[in-house]
Amino acid sequence: MRIGLLTEGGYPYVGGEGGVWCDRLVRGLDRHEFDVYAFSTGQAQEDAGWVELPPQVQRVRTAPLWVAEEDGVVHGRRARRRFTEHYGELAAALCTAAEPGTAQGPGTAQGPGTAQGPGIAEKPGTAEADRFANALHGLAELARDEGGLVAALRSEQAVRALERACRAPGARRAAREARVSDLLTVADHLERALRPLSLDWYEEDGLGAVDLCHAASGGIAALPGLLARHFFGVPLVVTEYGVRLRTHYLTRPDASPAVRSLLAAFHGLLTAETYRAASYLVPGNAHARRWQERCGADRAKLRTIHPGLDATPFARVGEDRRPGDREKDEKREKQERQEKQERQEKQEHAGPHTLVWFGRVEPAKDLVSLLHAFAEVRAAEPGTRLRIVGRPSGPEGEAYLGHCRALAAQLFPDEADGPHAVGRNPVSFEEPGGPGAETTADVHAGGAVTVLSSVVEGFPVGLIEAMFCGRATVSTDVGAVVEVIGGTGLVVPPRNPRALAEACVSLLRDPERRARLGAAARARALELFSVEQNVAAFRGLYLETVARTPVRRPVLDGAGDPQPFAAPAEAHVPGHWTEPTPRAVPTWAVETPEPVTETVR
C-alpha cells in the first residue's frame, strides 16, 4: 500500500524528534511505499539536511512552520466574506469551549499525585466540536479554492473577527477580558498553527493518492491527515509517544489568562477533532494512553504499540555464549577477551561495585538526589564508584552539570591510597561519543547496576538499553518506568535519596539477584521493545485500517482494466452495513389497530 507519513520537526531531517523510530518503521516495511510530508521547525534543521532515505520512500514534500511564505494571493470581496464567516466561527468555538480544568492529570510526568500540573481541558461539547470542525474545513476549502490563506490569517480582518467573538454574549470570562495585546498574540499563534491549510498537498496526486495517512504525532502534524480525510476519505492513524495536548498545557506559563485560555481551547478542540477523525490512535505506553483517554479519545480506537529499539548493538554484552559455542569459535573469543581487556583498562571506574547513570544532563534527571544517595551508598559500601555519562542539554544543562560537579567535589573529597599518591574522586563525569570512545553497550557493561533518578520522564529509552545489556536497574517511579521495568528491576519514589541508596546497596550486595534481574530484564526488552515487534504491530494495524475502509478508487491490473474482486461486496452496500440491523418482524405479528368508523345513518 501507499502510506503518507506526516511529521513535524522529525523524519526525514537529521536529528529530528522521533526520526529514529520513523526511519526504522519505513525500513522495516519495505513492501510498502511511503510519501513523506514533513514540517521543519527551524533554519538550522533544514541546513542539517536529511537522513539517508531507503528506496521505498517515493516522494518527500516539506514545508516550514517557522516562517510564513508569501503566496501573493489577494482575496476578492466574496472570498473575504467567506473567510470572515469561517474564521469567526472558529474564534467563537474557542471563546465558548469548556474552560481548562484544575484537576491533576492522570499520571503526569512527575507521577500520579506527586505534583500539581496544569489541568486537563474538559472534553468539548458536541456543539463546540462541530462548530470548530466546520470552521476548520471551511477555511481549508477556501484555501483550496483561492490558493492560500497566508495574507488573510495575518490581516486586521482576522484580529477583528477574534475580538468580536471574545466580546459576544456567551463568551467565557477569560475571553471577555482579553486585551488588544492578547488578541494579537492569539491571532499570531493561530496564523502559525493554520499554515498547513494553505499548502498544495491536498490534490489527487498528493495526499489524495495515498491509501493511508500516518501522523507521527498529534497536533499540527496531524492536520494534513484531517484534511486528506475530509477531501478524499483517506483513513488516518495517529501515533503519540508523547501527548501533544499535554505539552501545550505545560507551555506559556507567563502568558495572560486570556491567552492561555484561548490557546488551550484551540489545541483542545484540534485534539478532539483529530481523535474523532482518526481510525486508530497509537499511544506508546500506558502513561500516554491514560492521557489520551482523559483528553477525549475513544477507547475502541486505542492500540498501544511500544517504541522499538535496535537490540543488535547490545547483543555482545547481553548474551552469554554457551561452552560449546566458545569451543567452536576460539579465535573470536580470544579477540573479544582482548577487546574487553582494553575496555577495562580505559574504564578506571568499571567493576562489580560500579553504578552507571547514562542520559542527558538536565535538572529533570535529578542528579543532585543521585549524588546524595551515592553518599549513603559509599557509607555502606566504601569501594563503590559512580559513573555519570552524558552530555548537557543546552545552557541550562551546562549550568546544572557545573552544579553537580561542585556538589560531587564537596561530598566526595579526592581519595588517595597514601600520602604520596594522587587522589581520585569516586564520581566521574564523562561525555559519550568521540573517536575511540565507548559505545552505549560498553558503558552499561562497565557497571553492576544502572540507575535512573529522574523526576520527569516520558518513555525511558536509556533504561531499555540497559535492559538489552542484561543489567539490573534501580529507577524512580515516574512516567512509563514501571510499565517498562515490570518486575525486572527495583523502583523507588522520586526525590528520595535514602530509598534510592537502599535499593542500590541491596543489589550491590547480592550478585545472584543482580544476574537474575538482568537476565529477566533482557528477555522482557527483547519481547516488548524490539524493532521487530514495533514494525510487525504497525504492519498489522495498517492492514486492519485499510481493510475497514471502503475503496475510494478502482483498482486496476497491469493492462489498466478494473481488477475483479478488488473490493469486497459489502463496500457497494449503501449505509452503515457494519452496524447491527434491527430484527425483522413478520407483518402478521404486528398488531394493526382497526380504524374506528362511525356509521352514517
Side-chain angles (χ1 to χ4, degrees), residues 103-183:
Q104 172 70 20
T108 61
Q110 291 86 354
T114 57
Q116 287 294 330
I120 299 177
E122 300 176 8
K123 185 176 180 179
T126 304
E128 290 84 5
D130 290 345
R131 196 175 195 179
F132 177 84
N134 292 334
L136 187 67
H137 295 156
L139 289 173
E141 292 168 359
L142 175 62
R144 196 182 185 197
D145 295 339
E146 301 294 334
L149 296 177
V150 175
L153 291 171
R154 302 169 66 180
S155 65
E156 181 182 353
Q157 186 181 4
V159 180
R160 291 190 178 278
L162 182 60
E163 182 181 18
R164 284 194 297 271
C166 291
R167 307 290 186 258
R172 298 193 313 273
R173 179 178 178 181
R176 293 197 305 270
E177 295 177 351
R179 299 169 296 180
V180 174
S181 59
D182 298 332
L183 296 174

Side-chain angles (χ1 to χ4, degrees), residues 30-356:
D30 54 356
R31 295 188 178 182
H32 298 308
E33 296 178 353
F34 284 86
D35 292 347
V36 179
Y37 294 82
F39 293 121
S40 64
T41 56
Q43 184 65 53
Q45 186 177 59
E46 293 196 354
D47 293 341
W50 298 348
V51 299
E52 184 180 355
L53 300 176
Q56 53 265 38
V57 176
Q58 301 293 312
R59 176 168 59 175
V60 178
R61 302 187 69 176
T62 63
L65 281 182
W66 49 280
V67 63
E69 298 181 346
E70 294 291 344
D71 51 17
V73 176
V74 179
H75 290 169
R77 180 179 301 177
R78 181 176 299 178
R80 289 198 301 270
R81 187 160 52 244
R82 287 177 61 188
F83 173 79
T84 302
E85 176 186 354
H86 296 312
Y87 193 89
E89 283 293 298
L90 185 140
L94 305 187
C95 295
T96 57
E99 284 276 6
T102 57
Q104 172 70 20
T108 61
Q110 291 86 354
T114 57
Q116 287 294 330
I120 299 177
E122 300 176 8
K123 185 176 180 179
T126 304
E128 290 84 5
D130 290 345
R131 196 175 195 179
F132 177 84
N134 292 334
L136 187 67
H137 295 156
L139 289 173
E141 292 168 359
L142 175 62
R144 196 182 185 197
D145 295 339
E146 301 294 334
L149 296 177
V150 175
L153 291 171
R154 302 169 66 180
S155 65
E156 181 182 353
Q157 186 181 4
V159 180
R160 291 190 178 278
L162 182 60
E163 182 181 18
R164 284 194 297 271
C166 291
R167 307 290 186 258
R172 298 193 313 273
R173 179 178 178 181
R176 293 197 305 270
E177 295 177 351
R179 299 169 296 180
V180 174
S181 59
D182 298 332
L183 296 174
L184 293 174
T185 301
V186 174
D188 180 67
H189 183 90
L190 292 180
E191 185 271 325
R192 282 184 278 115
L194 297 177
R195 283 174 188 171
L197 302 184
S198 301
L199 299 175
D200 59 351
W201 295 354
Y202 318 110
E203 303 294 340
E204 287 288 350
D205 59 346
L207 284 173
V210 303
D211 299 302
L212 178 146
C213 283
H214 182 183
S217 64
I220 306 303
L223 190 51
L226 287 178
L227 300 184
R229 183 182 183 277
H230 172 70
F231 288 127
F232 308 106
V234 178
L236 173 64
V237 173
V238 180
T239 296
E240 285 191 304
Y241 287 145
V243 180
R244 285 298 177 95
L245 181 56
R246 177 184 175 275
T247 304
H248 290 299
Y249 287 148
L250 298 176
T251 56
R252 297 181 177 269
D254 300 329
S256 68
V259 172
R260 292 200 306 270
S261 175
L262 291 172
L263 294 186
F266 172 78
H267 290 290
L269 288 166
L270 179 60
T271 300
E273 175 62 14
T274 301
Y275 288 177
R276 183 197 66 80
S279 299
Y280 290 104
L281 302 170
V282 184
N285 51 71
H287 176 69
R289 183 185 182 113
R290 289 194 298 269
W291 269 91
Q292 287 181 329
E293 291 180 0
R294 286 291 298 272
C295 294
D298 183 1
R299 288 188 177 184
K301 295 182 177 182
L302 296 177
R303 299 289 189 274
T304 302
I305 299 178
H306 296 107
L309 277 71
D310 186 8
T312 305
F314 309 99
R316 176 176 49 81
V317 176
E319 293 180 353
D320 293 325
R321 291 181 179 270
R322 297 189 297 271
D325 295 333
R326 288 197 295 268
E327 294 175 0
K328 296 178 181 179
D329 200 358
E330 295 179 358
K331 184 177 180 180
R332 180 180 297 178
E333 282 295 320
K334 183 178 179 179
Q335 182 179 359
E336 289 182 356
R337 284 196 299 268
Q338 292 176 351
E339 293 176 355
K340 183 177 181 181
Q341 184 178 359
E342 293 175 359
R343 290 194 304 270
Q344 289 177 345
E345 292 175 355
K346 293 179 181 179
Q347 300 169 4
E348 292 182 343
H349 305 300
H353 294 283
T354 301
L355 303 179
V356 172

Side-chain angles (χ1 to χ4, degrees), residues 24 308-320 343 358 438-445 450 461-471 518 522 525-526 529-531:
R24 290 170 179 166
L309 277 71
D310 186 8
T312 305
F314 309 99
R316 176 176 49 81
V317 176
E319 293 180 353
D320 293 325
R343 290 194 304 270
F358 188 91
E438 298 173 279
T439 64
T440 303
D442 292 332
V443 171
H444 290 296
T450 297
V461 174
L463 210 57
I464 297 176
E465 293 174 343
M467 295 169 68
F468 278 134
C469 293
R471 288 301 178 263
R522 176 168 171 78
L526 290 174
F529 308 119
S530 65
V531 175

Side-chain angles (χ1 to χ4, degrees), residues 260-597:
R260 292 200 306 270
S261 175
L262 291 172
L263 294 186
F266 172 78
H267 290 290
L269 288 166
L270 179 60
T271 300
E273 175 62 14
T274 301
Y275 288 177
R276 183 197 66 80
S279 299
Y280 290 104
L281 302 170
V282 184
N285 51 71
H287 176 69
R289 183 185 182 113
R290 289 194 298 269
W291 269 91
Q292 287 181 329
E293 291 180 0
R294 286 291 298 272
C295 294
D298 183 1
R299 288 188 177 184
K301 295 182 177 182
L302 296 177
R303 299 289 189 274
T304 302
I305 299 178
H306 296 107
L309 277 71
D310 186 8
T312 305
F314 309 99
R316 176 176 49 81
V317 176
E319 293 180 353
D320 293 325
R321 291 181 179 270
R322 297 189 297 271
D325 295 333
R326 288 197 295 268
E327 294 175 0
K328 296 178 181 179
D329 200 358
E330 295 179 358
K331 184 177 180 180
R332 180 180 297 178
E333 282 295 320
K334 183 178 179 179
Q335 182 179 359
E336 289 182 356
R337 284 196 299 268
Q338 292 176 351
E339 293 176 355
K340 183 177 181 181
Q341 184 178 359
E342 293 175 359
R343 290 194 304 270
Q344 289 177 345
E345 292 175 355
K346 293 179 181 179
Q347 300 169 4
E348 292 182 343
H349 305 300
H353 294 283
T354 301
L355 303 179
V356 172
W357 181 94
F358 188 91
R360 293 192 315 273
V361 179
E362 56 187 2
K365 303 304 180 181
D366 199 14
L367 295 180
V368 171
S369 292
L370 175 60
L371 291 172
H372 284 290
F374 184 63
E376 298 188 26
V377 173
R378 288 279 294 180
E381 294 289 327
T384 308
R385 299 191 175 277
L386 172 64
R387 297 183 66 192
I388 296 178
V389 183
R391 291 191 181 90
S393 59
E396 186 180 20
E398 291 279 2
Y400 187 70
L401 177 59
H403 173 69
C404 292
R405 288 181 183 273
L407 179 61
Q410 180 182 356
L411 292 175
F412 312 102
D414 287 350
E415 301 173 351
D417 297 332
H420 303 291
V422 178
R424 186 177 64 181
N425 196 293
V427 179
S428 66
F429 293 87
E430 310 167 34
E431 285 196 10
E438 298 173 279
T439 64
T440 303
D442 292 332
V443 171
H444 290 296
V449 178
T450 297
V451 185
L452 183 143
S453 56
S454 303
V455 294
V456 175
E457 193 72 47
F459 193 78
V461 174
L463 210 57
I464 297 176
E465 293 174 343
M467 295 169 68
F468 278 134
C469 293
R471 288 301 178 263
T473 59
V474 175
S475 315
T476 49
D477 185 6
V478 293
V481 166
V482 173
E483 181 184 0
V484 168
I485 291 297
T488 66
L490 304 186
V491 181
V492 300
R495 292 195 178 96
N496 193 333
R498 177 169 297 180
L500 190 64
E502 292 175 353
C504 291
V505 170
S506 66
L507 290 181
L508 289 173
R509 291 178 174 176
D510 194 344
E512 294 183 358
R513 187 185 184 193
R514 290 203 312 266
R516 289 197 305 270
L517 290 176
R522 176 168 171 78
R524 179 178 176 83
L526 290 174
E527 180 182 0
L528 299 179
F529 308 119
S530 65
V531 175
E532 292 75 16
Q533 68 82 24
N534 179 270
V535 171
F538 274 111
R539 180 186 293 112
L541 187 64
Y542 286 169
L543 294 176
E544 184 178 358
T545 303
V546 173
R548 292 174 177 267
T549 304
V551 175
R552 299 179 290 107
R553 55 183 180 271
V555 179
L556 306 180
D557 57 16
D561 298 325
Q563 185 173 346
F565 309 108
E570 294 86 349
H572 302 286
V573 179
H576 301 284
W577 55 270
T578 57
E579 298 179 358
T581 56
R583 183 178 178 182
V585 180
T587 54
W588 54 264
V590 179
E591 295 183 359
T592 305
E594 297 181 2
V596 178
T597 58

